[in-house]
Amino acid sequence: MTTVRICVCGDESTGKSSLIAALVKDQFISSKIQPVLPQITIPPSIGTPENVTTAIVDTSARPQDRTTLRKEIRKSNVILLVYADHYSYERVALFWMPYFRSLGVNVPVVLCANKADLAGQGTTPQVVEEEMLPVMAEFREIDSCIRTSAREHRNVNEVFFLCQKAVTHPIAPLFDYKEGRLKPACVDALKRVFFLCDKDQDGYLNDEEMREFQARCFDKPLTKDDLDNIKASISKSHTGSDLDKGIDQRGFLQLNKIYAEKGRHETIWIILRKYHYTDSLSLEDKFLHPKLDVPEYCSAELSPAGYRFFVDLFLLFDKDNDGGLNDEELDALFAPTPGLPAFWVDSSFPSSTVRNEAGHVTLQGWLAQWSMTTFLEPKTTIEYLAYLGFEPPNPKDAITSAIKITKSRKRRRRPGRVERNVVLCYMLGGAGAGKSSLLDAFLNRPFDPLHRPTIKPRRAVNSVELPGGRQVYLILEELGELEPAILENQAKLDACDLICYTYDSSEPDSFSHIVDMRAKHPQLDDLPAIYTALKADKDKTNQRSELQPDEYTSSLNMSHPLHVSVTWNSISELFVALAEAATNPSTAFPKSEEDAPDRTGLYMALGATACAAVAAIMIWRRSTSSP
């Protein structure tokens, strides 16, 4: 529950106490009332907005009461500044507003011209725009202004409602009265709201989209007359807009500007809060970063709902239907976000995934990139699902329903598949072994004979179809100069599903790097592995190593190295083998002993003979015991 503390200030005899009494008694108190009323607390049940308790504090302007006044101002959430004649009006700019600033308070001020019933009788000047607007322009902390009369009970409830609204729905973050425009942060937030409401991304909110917007934000239907009135309001100040197609972004912003100018900024706040914005116009942290626990040995993947959302997003923004997202389409897609995720920038997206001939990310590459992001940085995926407007199929579900957590995967050498659809494979090997070319081949890139040393880690992700039709997203990572540090990091090794040891079969010193590496990092023995001889299209040479590669793998009771070349069409078979080994790790572990011979048939025969013998004995006993 929110408590709004209103401090009522102003010169003596401006009617401060009469206003408060008229609110409480719902009528003007003609008898004399005490100079300063005690604090009054109004619970939410008396028509206050939302779930708000209101505390109203009366004050005295006498110099001897200045200490109490100062304390109450500093404790307040909003100040109601009352004036009633020309002298007290002049004191607003000459004394009261500078005084508030001298106290260092940063709360909104509602300016109230009281005793409006006396207007025109020479006692109180007519309150017109020329009087209030200059003061509001000079002191930007003034939130709103209103004329009241305690005697006629005119705008008494409204003035205190404005005070409540100044706290619960502040105008300051939304609108710049001096410039007469919405503030940049408010514009950015409303642009994101427009983006999320424009379901077909045609640049207009059609009538159906407006009705959905109205139902979501205000929980009531939008009638045809209401919609016509909205369009009429926009057309008056937004010329050149084709309202037959719907309301465009400029028109949507203009509509909200009209709300702000008319003092209906609570309408803007209702919209923004429905879309999870805070008072500072940032998205709620609990919305962007909901709790998500990934237990040890488990991993995060996109759920079917998550994949469906990213598929629909891709198809929606592929405006030219060429099967790829170009730079312009990507910019439009990521418009309601801070931009490409930092993880993608570090991964050199889109070169980290599948692209078409024009260099634009394909749907296959798009889904692969999000699969890798979810596997390695699930919180980034959730954050961007929030930015991009993911809505769970079941409204009661959290945004985390787009993510599923896999079953625990411990290192087991006995047969059994790993129940995950995204797997990570580290590519290890000496410089020049061909790892980078292998990653290029994985992404269907043409072979480039020029060698470029890999400095920082490089990742590539693509989908691989296993025998039987199951699809797995395989992440290949080349560690670069960080290889020693990563191999010493147990958390990094725990995240890895497979090691692919690579060497250049045409370079005699290439395999020794693997031998030395495994000797230096014995913890690698705990990971499933596949050995791969690259550049098999060149002449094979003996390795300067104590054991040749085939002998070395045989000593570990492992399969001999696979001989492949990125120039061969059969290179895809290597990626299938890697994905199969990652999902069925028992096939890629060093075996400490030969498999025991299969004696199942012998055991079955002995069992059958024993059963027959027992049956014969029982029959003989029954026959001998019969009379």
Side-chain angles (χ1 to χ4, degrees), residues 300-315 363-375 381 385 390 393 401-404 406 420-423 461-463 471-475:
E301 298 179 0
L302 285 172
S303 68
Y307 276 116
R308 194 178 309 116
F309 174 77
F310 284 119
V311 169
D312 292 344
L313 207 59
F314 181 96
L315 298 176
L363 177 59
Q364 179 183 354
W366 173 253
L367 296 180
Q369 183 74 18
W370 281 113
S371 298
M372 177 170 68
T373 306
T374 307
F375 181 87
T381 295
L385 284 166
F390 170 76
S401 63
I403 305 288
K404 70 174 184 178
T406 63
R420 54 175 65 181
N421 298 312
V422 183
V423 290
V461 60
N462 200 350
S463 59
Q471 188 180 63
V472 170
Y473 286 101
L474 175 62
I475 305 167

Side-chain angles (χ1 to χ4, degrees), residues 212-261:
E212 290 180 9
F213 166 72
Q214 171 81 10
R216 172 169 179 169
C217 293
F218 304 101
D219 298 319
K220 62 180 182 180
L222 182 68
T223 66
K224 185 178 185 303
D225 289 343
D226 290 338
L227 185 56
D228 289 343
N229 289 335
I230 288 173
K231 290 181 179 179
S233 297
I234 295 173
S235 63
K236 288 179 183 178
S237 54
H238 181 42
T239 57
S241 175
D242 186 359
L243 293 174
D244 291 335
K245 292 182 179 180
I247 299 172
D248 62 9
Q249 187 185 88
R250 284 181 59 211
F252 184 71
L253 293 174
Q254 181 63 32
L255 177 64
N256 283 277
K257 181 186 175 199
I258 294 170
Y259 290 149
E261 290 172 335

Side-chain angles (χ1 to χ4, degrees), residues 159-180:
V159 69
F160 289 100
F161 174 70
L162 280 178
C163 291
Q164 296 162 346
K165 194 168 65 170
V167 177
T168 59
H169 302 92
I171 188 65
L174 305 180
F175 192 71
D176 187 332
Y177 274 115
K178 189 173 183 179
E179 299 291 335

Side-chain angles (χ1 to χ4, degrees), residues 357-396:
E357 292 181 356
H360 306 149
V361 61
T362 64
L363 177 59
Q364 179 183 354
W366 173 253
L367 296 180
Q369 183 74 18
W370 281 113
S371 298
M372 177 170 68
T373 306
T374 307
F375 181 87
L376 296 172
E377 289 191 3
K379 291 183 179 179
T380 296
T381 295
I382 291 178
E383 181 181 349
Y384 274 77
L385 284 166
Y387 282 127
L388 294 166
F390 170 76
E391 296 177 1
N394 184 349
K396 294 182 180 180

Side-chain angles (χ1 to χ4, degrees), residues 136-155:
M136 295 184 70
E138 183 178 356
F139 301 99
R140 301 177 71 177
E141 55 266 55
I142 297 179
D143 180 271
S144 55
C145 55
I146 189 171
R147 285 182 291 176
T148 62
S149 170
R151 183 179 296 278
E152 296 181 351
H153 210 275
R154 186 192 308 174
N155 289 338

